[in-house]
Amino acid sequence: MNAYVERVIEYVKNKHCHEPEFVQTVEEVFTSIAPMVDKHPEYEKADLLTRMVEPERMFTFRVVWTDDNGQTHTNIGYRCQFNGAIGPYKGGLRFQSNVTPSIIKFLGFEQTFKNSLTGLPMGGGKGGSDFDPAGKSDAEIMRFCQSYMTALYRYIGPDVDVPAGDMGVGGREIGYLYGQYRRLKGVWENGVLTGKGFSYGGSLIRPEATGYGAVYYLQEVLKHENDSIEGKRIAISGYGNVGWGIMKKAAELGAKVTYFAGPDGYIHDPDGVTGEKLDFILEMRAKDPMHCKPYADKYGVEFVPGAKCWGVKDVDIYMPAATQNDVRMESAEKIAASGVKYYIEVANMPTTNDALDFLRSQKHMIVAPSKAVNAGGVAVSGLEMSQNSERLVWTAEEVDEKLKGIMKVIHAMSVEAAEEYGLGYDLVAGANIAGFKKVATAMMEQGAF
Ligand code: 2IT
């Protein structure tokens, strides 16, 4: 491998040894782009790669809020403004008790290359808090969001940094965050956040965009293999916003999700999650996000407690759509042994590096990386920013058409980038190289800082 790339990976392993997820993503991305660095010796002189692994800025802040019983709580807030070379920092906020600086940094690093892949002018950022929204009342969520925004509002803006949702942050939270931003600034700057409600500048299709985009990307992969989505059976993990979007779009296109896994085990529904079952999932999740068993009870289908559906044979496609490091070596071995051809990552970094390398080495498999597959979400966030700055509203059809086009281009760019370096149909390397290229060029042209 390229010696400069090796040195920077060593640097990150040593300097950031307390940030395992961040080290993991840097190693994955930089291993992929090594052949490109071979051809660009000027990167080393400009120390481009070290500059790329250090966020432009990252800060923490105290978020204090009072619960419904009058008890005060203190959480840690984060915002990482990772890379602004190609546009304002852009990326979601994650509210989850396991959030650490390492998780925020890995997500911000991934976001930088993902946003570049969309072709839209957005830099990379990420933020969040170790606040756990599970079991909190609506009023508690509102007070937390108001306190969070009070700490953050000076450092963001439509041309500065544009947060959105991620796990634990949906339309409700974005509403409270936006309300507080507007109250503090006294201006109508709705381009400061994306994923807003439609009544105050949100884009149609944004809630479904990540799941829909993932299925559109899958269609491009199938097309490449002279295959089609019609009749395909899909196993996914996660049934949040993203998993739900996959279920819905797959059903619309004549495929079906026949397995889905949650925190308590997995469901096998051979008829697929279609029709009113899609509404039931929303209800079930709103009542209790930790259990999917009620689905099996309601529809009389199989529920396997405490297990993941990795390795089941009666599917055509796997789509991990839950969270990072969901698929480790042990699961990857089962997936490879199942004979299933398509492994399409959806959640950010759902596969450990050793498991990903193993799956990519399987001759019978095609592996697609999350930073390309899930980019439809942030792409529609970019379209929301465009609508906000132009003070106009696009129809659902217009947004959906644009999303489809963007997913097509992301797949085509990845194919082209991999071919340019003689790597064949390598969607993982292709996405990394294509995403990296634009950021690298912009940084080189803007001088050393
Ligand atoms: O991981 C992601 O791309 C997101 N959570 C969406 C980010 C965004 O700004 O829409």
Side-chain angles (χ1 to χ4, degrees):
M1 210 211 314
N2 180 280
Y4 174 48
V5 171
E6 262 178 13
R7 265 203 319 284
V8 177
I9 291 177
E10 268 320 293
Y11 160 85
V12 175
K13 281 183 173 166
N14 291 323
K15 192 69 129 189
H16 300 287
C17 56
H18 53 295
E19 298 176 325
E21 292 86 0
F22 177 56
V23 172
Q24 183 183 334
T25 186
V26 171
E27 200 167 8
E28 196 273 314
V29 173
F30 279 7
T31 304
S32 271
I33 54 103
M36 189 178 170
V37 181
D38 282 339
K39 289 203 182 163
H40 291 272
E42 71 276 18
Y43 289 169
E44 180 171 0
K45 191 157 185 214
D47 202 19
L48 184 73
L49 298 185
T50 324
R51 286 159 58 197
M52 269 193 190
V53 297
E54 292 303 337
E56 288 185 17
R57 148 181 343 92
M58 176 163 173
F59 46 92
T60 71
F61 44 92
R62 190 170 70 208
V63 186
V64 180
W65 58 283
T66 303
D67 71 21
D68 293 342
N69 296 318
Q71 174 66 50
T72 297
H73 299 267
T74 308
N75 284 101
I76 310 172
Y78 299 93
R79 187 70 186 167
C80 176
Q81 299 178 333
F82 215 115
N83 192 309
I86 67 168
Y89 311 110
K90 178 84 197 85
L93 301 173
R94 177 176 293 191
F95 291 172
Q96 202 176 36
S97 53
N98 70 359
V99 162
T100 59
S102 172
I103 297 217
I104 298 298
K105 273 175 76 172
F106 114 66
L107 289 165
F109 188 75
E110 280 284 292
Q111 198 80 47
T112 300
F113 303 107
K114 181 200 306 193
N115 292 1
S116 164
L117 271 177
T118 67
L120 301 173
M122 300 182 287
K126 204 83 192 190
S129 173
D130 61 352
F131 171 76
D132 182 3
K136 303 291 189 295
S137 73
D138 199 65
E140 288 170 336
I141 299 279
M142 181 179 76
R143 288 194 294 273
F144 178 81
C145 289
Q146 289 176 337
S147 185
Y148 187 92
M149 185 52 85
T150 303
L152 185 64
Y153 83 99
R154 294 166 206 277
Y155 310 107
I156 60 175
D159 295 318
V160 179
D161 181 0
V162 183
D166 193 86
M167 295 164 76
V169 179
R172 174 180 63 166
E173 289 74 17
I174 292 293
Y176 295 144
L177 290 164
Y178 180 65
Q180 185 72 354
Y181 181 86
R182 189 169 71 78
R183 183 180 176 199
L184 290 166
K185 296 241 3 203
V187 291
W188 184 261
E189 284 179 350
N190 63 356
V192 70
L193 291 174
T194 62
K196 298 181 296 293
F198 185 64
S199 65
Y200 59 98
S203 176
L204 293 169
I205 308 287
R206 176 65 191 89
E208 302 90 344
T210 311
Y212 283 16
V215 177
Y216 295 150
Y217 183 97
L218 167 65
Q219 281 187 294
E220 294 304 307
V221 174
L222 292 167
K223 209 183 296 165
H224 182 272
E225 296 301 295
N226 295 316
D227 204 343
S228 97
I229 194 154
E230 191 75 33
K232 288 283 182 296
R233 299 155 305 170
I234 307 173
I236 72 174
S237 60
Y239 53 99
N241 216 13
V242 177
W244 188 83
I246 293 172
M247 291 167 171
K248 187 158 180 234
K249 185 50 77 178
E252 244 176 73
L253 297 173
K256 54 191 179 185
V257 171
T258 52
Y259 285 87
F260 68 94
D264 56 336
Y266 73 82
I267 299 279
H268 178 209
D269 182 352
D271 295 334
V273 187
T274 54
E276 63 134 324
K277 294 172 183 171
L278 287 160
D279 300 325
F280 180 76
I281 298 231
L282 294 182
E283 267 170 54
M284 176 174 80
R285 213 171 62 199
K287 265 190 221 148
D288 170 9
M290 297 308 283
H291 295 91
C292 61
K293 183 172 177 293
Y295 182 98
D297 298 340
K298 168 125 177 138
Y299 295 109
V301 298
E302 186 186 10
F303 171 72
V304 180
K308 297 180 177 188
C309 52
W310 308 134
V312 295
K313 292 190 170 60
D314 52 346
V315 295
D316 307 290
I317 299 155
Y318 283 113
M319 298 180 88
T323 190
Q324 68 271 357
N325 293 332
D326 181 14
V327 176
R328 295 171 182 275
M329 200 54 184
E330 184 196 308
S331 301
E333 280 168 355
K334 288 184 192 157
I335 287 171
S338 73
V340 171
K341 178 174 178 181
Y342 301 102
Y343 180 78
I344 311 291
E345 290 191 330
V346 187
N348 291 311
M349 202 168 74
T351 322
T352 60
N353 285 356
D354 56 344
L356 186 64
D357 289 345
F358 173 75
L359 291 170
R360 288 173 71 192
S361 74
Q362 300 299 305
K363 295 273 179 291
H364 70 284
M365 291 186 73
I366 290 186
V367 175
S370 57
K371 72 167 63 63
V373 178
N374 75 26
V378 73
V380 174
S381 277
L383 301 180
E384 184 172 334
M385 291 163 70
S386 301
Q387 293 171 78
N388 293 159
S389 67
E390 292 186 36
R391 301 273 191 265
L392 50 75
V393 176
W394 291 332
T395 65
E397 290 71 30
E398 284 174 300
V399 177
D400 199 34
E401 266 318 296
K402 288 185 178 22
L403 169 61
K404 239 178 254 174
I406 289 170
M407 298 316 296
K408 215 181 188 115
V409 170
I410 290 174
H411 176 265
M413 272 169 52
S414 304
V415 173
E416 195 179 307
E419 273 167 8
E420 188 186 336
Y421 287 91
L423 301 169
Y425 190 57
D426 184 339
L427 295 170
V428 177
N432 282 327
I433 294 169
F436 176 88
K437 211 180 249 179
K438 187 175 176 191
V439 180
T441 306
M443 288 177 75
M444 292 299 284
E445 290 181 5
Q446 290 174 36
F449 71 95

